[in-house]
Amino acid sequence: MNDAENLSKLLGHLPPAVFREFMVDEFGLAMPDADAKKPKKEQREQMEAVLAALGVGERQRIEEVAERIVLLSDGAGQDVIDGFKDDIFDDAARETFAAIPNQYERALWLHVHEPVIFEEALNARQADVFRQSASCYSGFMAPANLAVLDDATAKAAFHQTVAQQLGCSDDAVAIQIFKRLRPDTQTGEDVDLYQISIHHNRPPEIIDCVQASELVPQEVIRAVSSHITYEPANGHLEVLSKDTAGRETLARIVADTLLQSPITGEKIPLKQYDYQSLAALRNFDLSGEPVAFVKVVELGYAAGNGRSLLVKIWTKDVDDIYAAARSLIGPAFDFRDHHLNYAKLSIKLKKVGKDRARTITVILRDDNKCNIKTKREKDRALCDRLLAKWHLVKEIGHVVEAPADAFAA
């Protein structure tokens, strides 16, 4: 099933009986009866054969649902779910949910038993993935500490205004408004974050699929989502949408109808990861942080002729990466003579309270890409703070470079 990556993940990670029940109840598929006496591999192979025999269009429909569940199955997705569960489930449901050890099964349980909350958690997860992405993000300043109106009248007015802006009928637009907590980047303390999600249907499109060995056209209607977040603590109003030209309009609609306060149009600068400074020996200030040590373990660059170089060392290497590179390449080699396009930091965390000692890996690559966007909420907040403290992140448009520290960790 090379065309159904997420469905394959669910098949491989869910208990066979759970996966079978989901396929039967959700999609009405005729699956082989569960037989706990058979090896799991054999049970999964039988169910995979059923899925492989489906038409492309039918399997794609199941794949789209599977993709949503998988999005809430990684660390960041599970953190989002944890932010909702205590306020939503009754005692019995909470105990049932807490007893599920498999994160894929946890996300599936939420999808099946709490579909409304599943949608809210999914929206939160998707918004976090795309934050600070120039292709779909714009941030605006609004007054701080405003109340977000979520009564029926305010929601109806907002719904109607958005539908008019998008050129849709009211019933072709879905609106969701909810509040969650996220760790503050500087303090790590939980702060309120309101999220307004807007979903609307795109015009129908025709795709080809195979039915009874014939290639036939099939009409598909896809929904497009936009997410607007408001953080009362700092007044940040952030819009996540592929529609670049329409982001400011959405921000103003939210400000005018739900916050009842206009925005100035002042934009929040995007963060730019500045890891060229790692080309030189430097110090990482660990004062006041739950960090035992930090080490640059990989650095890489590409030349104009298509050649590239990546230098790697172990965390416990007695040399730093600069000395290691000179020993491998030559005594005159210096990373500062090249434009870096890849860096990896190994951050060893101390044992604090119930949190065990562990290592966080931060990867910076290419044009403003950083893997901390996909980490757990607390880890991302910590990494954001540390990168700012170490002058590895700046706001686009700043012309004054922060000085690199002089001594290497």
Side-chain angles (χ1 to χ4, degrees), residues 392-403:
L392 294 176
V393 63
K394 61 183 179 180
E395 292 181 344
I396 295 177
H398 285 193
V399 296
V400 179
E401 294 286 346

Side-chain angles (χ1 to χ4, degrees), residues 282-294:
R282 56 162 314 145
N283 178 64
F284 296 100
D285 181 7
L286 305 182
S287 59
E289 303 293 349
V291 179
F293 69 87
V294 182

Side-chain angles (χ1 to χ4, degrees), residues 34 49 68-69 123 166 225 245 249 251 274 306 325 336 338 351 353 372 408:
R68 292 154 60 84
I69 295 169
N123 289 338
L166 296 175
S225 299
T249 300
D274 177 29
R336 287 173 291 187
H338 307 277
K351 185 181 185 304
I372 66 174

Side-chain angles (χ1 to χ4, degrees), residues 71-88:
L71 266 175
L72 288 180
S73 299
D74 65 1
Q78 289 294 295
D79 274 334
V80 171
I81 289 177
D82 286 342
F84 287 106
K85 69 178 190 296
D86 290 336
D87 294 333
I88 298 166

Side-chain angles (χ1 to χ4, degrees), residues 309-328:
L309 175 72
L310 177 63
V311 179
K312 299 181 180 182
I313 62 173
W314 294 104
T315 304
K316 295 182 179 180
D317 197 310
V318 294
D319 288 330
D320 57 47
I321 198 164
Y322 312 98
R326 288 193 298 270
S327 70
L328 290 169

